[in-house]
Amino acid sequence: DREKVVKIFSTSQVVTFVCSSLVAMVIIAVISLFPSLMSSENVRISTILITISLPFFVTNKNTWSYYIGFRRMKEYSLFRLYRYIMTIIIIGAWTIFKMPMVYAVLSFAITDIIMSVYLHAINRKAFSVKEISREWAGIHLSFGAKSILTEVISSVYARMPIIIVGYYLGDRDSGMYSIASTMASGILIIASILQDNFNPVVANLHGTGDTTMLNNYVRKLRKFSYLSLIPLIAGSVVIYKIYILFLGSEYKETSVIYNILIIGVAMTYLVSWAGGVLTMTGNQMLNLLRIAITLVFAVVGCIILVPLMGVIGAAVSFSFSALVNMIVLYIFILNRAKIKIL
């Protein structure tokens, strides 16, 4: 029923954009009213720019879910790759022209806004303001409120270390961390694609109670994650070395940061394919709690370690929070879904 799909998707996009925009406006209002919370004008502006990208980032993920629902996996995978490459190019241009940290974080906003406009343009037949439904808005808000909040917290988790490093150490160190973290997180695109393919399977098999088939899928994904991890890390290291060679010798000091971050990224990769299991089995609040716990460890770790260890402290904090996330996700899924993800 194409009309029903248009109604559901249109309402979902509007609800998602409005809710995330309200969250973004609250954050920007607080930063504007209390500028002393930021260590410098550049940090304040960069935080606002990151926050502005939030509604676009969340609606992009909504569109990707639309692709997944119709099994348009090739398009979905390509758009994820385009987003990563675009971010790398913008950050690379920032480093070459030696611009302030503001332009580094601007890469997230530019990438998400461009991607959002383009995705809306090519999917305009699936969206209609006239088809927005109050009934579906209520359903989306009831089911999706926790999921939207989870996405918002995940976005904050990914970007918060850059802001904290900028607050304590300044623009240059924040830029160094941004380069290393963006390069290290590249392999998570594969994990994200695995997760988005696995989510519908979990929902279907869990709903029918076919635990045997579900566990077979889990074993295959677990095996693939173990076998693919080392080749992916090796490829990431090679690409990183080439990228740093392109940027210049002054960025070689990011190598230590990258090496620490890749440990956390590796742990995240091993379990992130199972990130949607809690949501797909009706445990949205538990998934939200898991993301919140990870964020708390990351933020507190940065606040404690960055003043003591510099940028390396932020990398250590991320990797430790990744370990916490892996343990919490394993325990929660084993307890609620009776699935061993490790």
Side-chain angles (χ1 to χ4, degrees), residues 167-184:
Y167 180 86
Y168 283 109
L169 306 176
D171 297 346
R172 181 182 177 279
D173 289 317
S174 181
M176 291 292 184
Y177 181 88
S178 179
I179 291 170
S181 64
T182 302
M183 293 303 297

Side-chain angles (χ1 to χ4, degrees), residues 157 260 297-303 305-306 312-322:
Y157 171 68
I260 297 172
F297 272 92
V299 172
V300 173
C302 279
I303 292 173
L305 296 178
V306 169
I312 293 176
V316 172
S317 174
F318 167 79
S319 290
F320 183 72
S321 70

Side-chain angles (χ1 to χ4, degrees), residues 160-324:
M160 186 57 70
I162 299 173
I163 297 171
I164 294 176
V165 170
Y167 180 86
Y168 283 109
L169 306 176
D171 297 346
R172 181 182 177 279
D173 289 317
S174 181
M176 291 292 184
Y177 181 88
S178 179
I179 291 170
S181 64
T182 302
M183 293 303 297
S185 63
I187 67 172
L188 294 181
I189 294 175
I190 305 296
S192 180
I193 293 170
L194 289 175
Q195 176 187 332
D196 291 329
N197 274 282
F198 186 51
N199 285 349
V201 174
V202 173
N204 182 46
L205 295 178
H206 183 267
T208 58
D210 192 346
T211 55
T212 302
M213 184 65 73
L214 181 56
N215 283 318
N216 284 336
Y217 274 108
V218 169
R219 279 194 292 271
K220 290 178 181 178
L221 282 170
R222 196 166 54 206
K223 183 179 179 180
F224 176 83
S225 296
Y226 288 140
L227 293 176
S228 62
L229 179 60
I230 293 177
L232 283 172
I233 289 179
S236 176
V237 170
V238 171
I239 294 171
Y240 167 76
K241 294 295 183 183
I242 295 172
Y243 188 63
I244 294 303
L245 187 65
F246 170 74
L247 294 180
S249 58
E250 65 268 32
Y251 293 97
K252 286 184 179 179
E253 63 185 273
T254 61
S255 297
V256 177
I257 306 168
Y258 172 87
N259 291 337
I260 297 172
L261 286 172
I262 202 69
I263 296 171
V265 168
M267 289 187 285
T268 303
Y269 177 80
L270 288 176
V271 297
S272 60
W273 57 267
V277 171
L278 291 172
T279 299
M280 293 298 108
T281 54
N283 295 290
Q284 294 99 321
M285 280 302 297
L286 209 57
N287 194 41
L288 178 61
L289 177 61
R290 188 258 307 182
I291 295 292
I293 291 171
T294 305
L295 175 64
V296 169
F297 272 92
V299 172
V300 173
C302 279
I303 292 173
I304 294 172
L305 296 178
V306 169
L308 296 175
M309 303 171 64
V311 188
I312 293 176
V316 172
S317 174
F318 167 79
S319 290
F320 183 72
S321 70
L323 175 62
V324 171

Side-chain angles (χ1 to χ4, degrees), residues 125-164:
K125 291 183 179 179
F127 180 86
S128 174
V129 176
K130 295 179 181 179
E131 295 298 326
I132 296 173
S133 164
R134 181 178 297 179
E135 176 189 357
W136 276 104
I139 294 172
H140 287 313
L141 286 170
S142 175
F143 177 81
K146 304 179 190 74
S147 297
I148 291 172
L149 188 55
T150 299
E151 292 297 339
V152 170
I153 295 176
S154 297
S155 181
V156 172
Y157 171 68
R159 293 162 171 78
M160 186 57 70
I162 299 173
I163 297 171
I164 294 176

Side-chain angles (χ1 to χ4, degrees), residues 87-107:
T87 303
I88 290 294
I89 290 172
I90 296 172
I91 291 178
W94 160 76
T95 54
I96 289 171
F97 293 105
K98 302 185 186 302
M99 296 179 180
M101 182 190 69
V102 173
Y103 295 95
V105 298
L106 190 59
S107 63

